[in-house]
DNA sequence: TTGTTTCAAAACGAGTAGGTTAAATATGCG
DNA sequence: CGCATATTTAACCTACTCGTTTTGAAACAA
């Protein structure tokens, strides 16, 4: 129900067809029919995938005669990357030990700086 | 059903509670009860969130007496970042024009190198 | 206006997601 | 063993997702 933007983006990316559509759009704008062509699903199904992508801000749309063009909007992917950056040190084996130590140190001095990754307050949301 | 790994990861990340759990785990391993504490959901609900995260490869689990510890496994996030890297040029305004040109050039010389982002063959999947 | 093309919306069904409560399971203690 | 603690599983509910087919709407051409 009306999730936050980041959730909408992740949700949109969770479907292989939608990811493939985004990949296709890196080659340029395309009509619904063009986007539907590679898949074994009907046109209304693609139409709804596009609606999901649009709600996530991953595409924008325009008209050309009776056709509707989809255009890639990669901005939300930047936000995803930003969110992911925080975890980069955890998959970087060579630095993992050091960074765990640093994290422990930052936990110890508990002066609440604004860069804290505080556990969400009762209710939810991530940092 | 039984989606590919990347879809599982995106799906897992699409829930704010699960993202918050991952954030919490950057501070160190935690029990189910500890992970449940910040949220207004029951403990079995968290238990199932953890199951989703484990299926996506984002956490591993171990025992300590009766408790079960969750441990962050960031490796799948590296794959996500890899997938996203392909789109970086599309949100990098200053390079967008240039990169579109480069993409066009690489489309023109159609010697199928392994870095091609071919549209999926009839069936689905993204590149 | 009539028709054609291209797409969106409506209505439906099967399956999944995420929540609950209540019961089952695993581990360690006295 | 008998019990407490911590967590999982089962059963159930509601709501959403993703697909379908059918119907409706927008843009344009004749």
């Amino acid at each position: 129900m009306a999730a936050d933007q980041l959730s909408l983006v992740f949700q949109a990316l969770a479907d292989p067809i939608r990811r493939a559509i985004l990949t296709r759009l890196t080659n340029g704008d395309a009509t619904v029919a063009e986007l539907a062509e590679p898949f074994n699903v009907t046109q209304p199904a693609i139409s709804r995938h596009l609606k999901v992508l649009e709600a996530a801000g991953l595409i924008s749309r325009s008209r050309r005669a009776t056709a509707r063009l989809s255009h890639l909007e990669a901005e939300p992917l930047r936000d995803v990357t930003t969110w992911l950056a925080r975890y980069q040190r955890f998959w970087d084996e060579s630095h993992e030990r050091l960074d765990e130590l640093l994290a422990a140190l930052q936990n110890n001095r508990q002066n609440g700086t604004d860069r804290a990754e505080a556990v969400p307050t009762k209710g939810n949301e991530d940092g």
Side-chain angles (χ1 to χ4, degrees), chain A residues 4-108:
Chain A
D4 56 293
Q5 191 65 15
L6 196 51
S7 294
L8 287 180
V9 174
F10 278 125
Q11 184 63 46
L13 296 179
D15 188 290
I17 290 183
R18 287 194 291 260
R19 290 201 304 279
I21 287 174
L22 292 181
T23 297
R24 164 63 184 79
L25 291 179
T26 63
N27 292 330
D29 298 359
T31 67
V32 175
E34 286 165 357
L35 293 173
E37 193 276 327
F39 305 105
N40 282 326
V41 297
T42 57
Q43 172 267 324
I46 297 297
S47 201
R48 296 214 306 191
H49 279 307
L50 293 176
K51 203 172 170 181
V52 172
L53 289 169
E54 190 175 25
L58 288 165
I59 66 171
S60 60
R61 317 190 68 184
S62 61
R63 271 199 179 281
R64 186 184 59 186
T66 66
R68 300 196 71 180
L69 292 179
S70 293
H71 176 81
L72 179 64
E73 297 288 347
E75 197 65 25
L77 298 182
R78 187 220 300 267
D79 302 334
V80 170
T81 298
T82 299
W83 186 87
L84 286 170
R86 205 189 303 173
Y87 296 89
Q88 193 153 359
R89 60 194 173 93
F90 287 96
W91 73 68
D92 189 348
E93 287 293 314
S94 61
H95 294 149
E96 189 166 7
R97 286 294 171 192
L98 173 59
D99 285 343
E100 275 177 13
L101 175 59
L102 289 175
L105 288 174
Q106 286 188 339
N107 273 350
N108 286 348

Side-chain angles (χ1 to χ4, degrees), chain A residues 105-117:
Chain A
L105 288 174
Q106 286 188 339
N107 273 350
N108 286 348
R109 56 177 188 82
Q110 292 182 336
N111 48 345
T113 61
D114 64 336
R115 63 167 302 290
E117 299 177 356

